Structures are given as C-alpha cells and as structure tokens.
Amino acid sequence: MPYRRLPNTDQARLRALKAATDIALQKSIDDLAFSTATLTKARAFFPGFESAILQLKQAKRQQSANSRKYNEVVKKARLYVSHFIQVLNFCILRGEIKPEVREFYGMDTQTHKLPSLVLESDLLEWGKKIIDGEQQRSMHGGSPIYNPSIAVVKVKYDQFADAYHFQKTLQSNTARWSEKVAEMRKEADELILSIWNEVELHYGHYSDEEKRQKAQEYGVVYFFRPSEKKKIEGERLQTNISF
C-alpha cells in the first residue's frame, strides 16, 4: 500500500496548508472533509508562518550578499594590523625602539611573537590595542612608524569594525528568524497532521484508490514503494494490451 509522507521542508509545509485552505474556499462547510475548527486554526496560522519563512529567506540573502564584501574588509584589516606589528618588532630588533614600548600595545615585552589575529574578535581587540598603543607611544615622544602608518591602519580597522558590527546584526537577524520558523514548524506539522487525519477519516468508507484521490485534493501526499510502482505499471500495460 502507498504510504503517506508529511512535509519535511518549509515550502512543502506551506503547500500543504495552502492546498487545504484553498479547497475550503471551493466547498461548503458541510462538504468540507475536515472540521471548521481546524480550518480556522490553519487560516490564522498560515499568514504568519509564510511571513516568517519569507523573512528568514531575506535575512539569509542579506547575510550572504554582504559576506563577500565583509571578508575582503576583514582580510585587509588583518593584513594592515599584522604588518604594523611586524614593522614594530623589526624596529625593536634593529634597536631603534626599546622592547619596553610593547607595554603600550598590551603585548609581552619579552617576545616578538605576533598575537593571534585568526578570530575576528581577536582582530577587533588587537586592532584597537595597536591604535591606542601607538597613540600612547607618540604622546611619550616616540617617532611615528610608517609602512604602514597608524593612520592607514586606523582607516582599515574602522572599516572592519563597522563591517563587523553590521555582519553581526545580519547574523542576529538570521538567527532570530531561524528560531522563529523552527518554533512554528511544530505547530505547522500538528495542523497538517490533523487536517490529513480528518480528511482520511472522512473518506474512510471509500475504496483505497478513491480515498487517496479525494484526499490528494486536500494536499495529502502519498508515495508508492518501488514494488508498488512496478505493479501499477504492469496493470496499466495489461489494460492497454486488452484494449
């Protein structure tokens, strides 16, 4: 026997609910194969569920569209901050600047090892430390470092910081709508199950084939197993030969 398969995607859920509410517009209450209470719930639920799915799609598109530009900004900021620290360390190694100045930047005075800039949160933290530290060093009479200058580093860092917070906002929007849709899926599945169960019960006195045909008008989805498909094809072939 064919088996019934409940929707497993949001678009399939929307199609199932829409099929049920649309056919209700074509039939009288007495002819409807599921209860008016269930219909009322479906009609009230559908617009909000559809809207939440659209909002989630839009949030994902915005986040994806911004990702490429954002990644380029991150790459540039990481490059400039890293190069500035390397130039600082070279100046220290050449004896042009004392190792103690690393304290201005929040760095270990005993090592020239670069701080980790792999994570964007690290880049955000160390970029600010480097900019503030260079300002403090200059206020104490230190000569400016060039190639890159801290002014150029600051421009790249500020661009990154703005992009970072914007990307976080986009990610937050996506997460919020993802959570909202996930919460609504349970109710959608319960509604669809109720509709399909009521429809099949309503047509329970029909033959299996007739029941499936009538239930499919309400969006109920049936799947045939491979062996059943072969059997049906064989029966159709035999019928055609008979004629």
Side-chain angles (χ1 to χ4, degrees):
M1 290 291 292
Y3 63 95
R4 196 177 69 181
R5 179 184 291 176
L6 287 166
N8 57 8
T9 68
D10 292 331
Q11 288 305 313
R13 291 181 177 94
L14 286 176
R15 285 196 298 270
L17 290 169
K18 192 173 188 305
T21 53
D22 281 354
I23 199 171
L25 298 174
Q26 306 167 22
K27 296 180 178 292
S28 67
I29 296 298
D30 292 336
D31 291 334
L32 194 63
F34 61 97
S35 69
T36 54
T38 303
L39 174 61
T40 299
K41 289 181 181 178
R43 282 176 170 169
F45 175 79
F46 182 83
F49 186 47
E50 183 180 40
S51 176
I53 291 171
L54 290 174
Q55 291 289 350
L56 175 58
K57 284 184 176 180
Q58 183 178 358
K60 286 181 176 180
R61 280 198 300 267
Q62 289 177 335
Q63 183 179 333
S64 177
N66 189 64
S67 291
R68 183 174 180 179
K69 179 181 176 182
Y70 174 68
N71 290 336
E72 285 298 316
V73 172
V74 173
K75 183 179 178 181
K76 281 288 181 67
R78 184 178 287 121
L79 184 66
Y80 275 83
V81 171
S82 174
H83 280 190
F84 184 89
I85 298 172
Q86 291 178 58
V87 172
L88 172 65
N89 282 332
F90 289 148
C91 290
I92 293 172
L93 287 172
R94 291 194 298 264
E96 298 169 4
I97 298 176
K98 294 182 179 181
E100 289 76 14
V101 300
R102 290 195 179 104
E103 292 182 0
F104 289 124
Y105 309 93
M107 295 161 49
D108 188 345
T109 60
Q110 303 302 316
T111 180
H112 60 275
K113 183 179 179 181
L114 294 176
S116 175
L117 301 176
V118 175
L119 299 179
E120 290 157 26
S121 56
D122 291 335
L123 179 58
L124 194 69
E125 175 188 355
W126 280 103
K128 187 175 187 310
K129 284 182 177 180
I130 295 305
I131 293 168
D132 292 346
E134 181 64 3
Q135 183 180 13
Q136 289 294 319
R137 190 180 68 83
S138 297
M139 289 173 60
H140 284 76
S143 300
I145 292 176
Y146 296 102
N147 293 325
S149 69
I150 199 62
V152 176
V153 173
K154 188 176 187 307
V155 169
K156 301 301 180 183
Y157 174 80
D158 287 345
Q159 291 173 347
F160 158 67
D162 290 343
Y164 175 85
H165 294 301
F166 182 59
Q167 186 73 356
K168 285 296 181 184
T169 298
L170 295 180
Q171 290 172 354
S172 177
N173 288 342
T174 300
R176 185 175 73 253
W177 284 112
S178 292
E179 184 177 350
K180 179 66 174 178
V181 170
E183 290 174 355
M184 299 184 79
R185 283 190 190 114
K186 182 179 179 183
E187 186 174 354
D189 290 342
E190 290 174 351
L191 268 172
I192 294 167
L193 181 61
S194 293
I195 292 170
W196 288 13
N197 284 344
E198 290 179 35
V199 168
E200 286 193 330
L201 182 63
H202 182 83
Y203 293 120
H205 59 288
Y206 286 82
S207 67
D208 289 340
E209 181 62 25
E210 289 179 305
K211 181 176 71 173
R212 285 196 301 273
Q213 289 178 355
K214 290 183 176 296
Q216 284 172 338
E217 295 178 6
Y218 287 80
V220 182
V221 177
Y222 293 96
F223 281 83
F224 288 85
R225 296 172 178 83
S227 59
E228 292 168 337
K229 287 183 179 180
K230 289 182 180 179
K231 181 180 178 182
I232 292 174
E233 290 172 358
E235 291 175 349
R236 287 176 180 171
L237 181 62
Q238 187 63 40
T239 301
N240 291 335
I241 293 173
S242 299
F243 284 102

